[in-house]
Amino acid sequence: PRKYSYRLKQIDNDGQFEYSKTIQVDLNSPKKFQLTQNYPNPFNPITTISWEIPNEGLVTLKIYDVLGNEVSTVVNEYQQAGFYQRNFDASSLSSGLYFYTLQTDGLVETRKMILMK
């Protein structure tokens, strides 16, 4: 994450000046847990999945078929707070509807995607 600090300089008409307290701003840290829609969708055979996590922790991203069977684990690792994306190659899967689920720190989000060969 990139953090910036700044302060203001106030100059009076007589030339005297005073600085404000230093303010710190974090421009790159995500503020919420979010799994975005894969792109492209429908896809054949590669799609990109993006997400953001506001806190560090163990992150899993898994793909399921319509029956709820796990067909792939895309991510299973400890990640720092931030923005992430991974390509998913479904060339070994058959056409159809699939679900992808992101889980970390007690939070879960699921979206659907369509593989069209």
Side-chain angles (χ1 to χ4, degrees), residues 50-117:
S50 303
W51 65 94
E52 60 185 78
I53 53 172
N55 302 309
E56 60 186 48
L58 177 65
V59 175
T60 59
L61 177 63
K62 296 184 178 187
I63 312 295
Y64 298 92
D65 64 17
V66 291
L67 300 175
N69 300 310
E70 181 182 324
V71 296
S72 179
T73 298
V74 180
V75 174
N76 185 17
E77 65 191 28
Y78 189 88
Q79 293 182 337
Q80 299 294 323
F83 299 92
Y84 296 90
Q85 74 177 26
R86 292 284 168 89
N87 288 335
F88 173 62
D89 185 346
S91 54
S92 64
L93 300 176
S94 57
S95 295
L97 178 66
Y98 292 88
F99 297 93
Y100 56 105
T101 299
L102 180 71
Q103 184 169 355
T104 184
D105 196 27
L107 301 169
V108 180
E109 191 167 345
T110 301
R111 292 190 176 263
K112 59 185 172 182
M113 60 184 173
I114 299 171
L115 172 60
M116 295 182 82
K117 292 188 172 183

Side-chain angles (χ1 to χ4, degrees), residues 27-47:
L27 296 180
N28 276 349
S29 71
K31 305 296 184 231
K32 62 183 175 182
F33 172 80
Q34 181 176 9
L35 176 63
T36 59
Q37 186 64 50
N38 64 302
Y39 181 81
N41 189 35
F43 68 100
N44 178 25
I46 297 175
T47 189

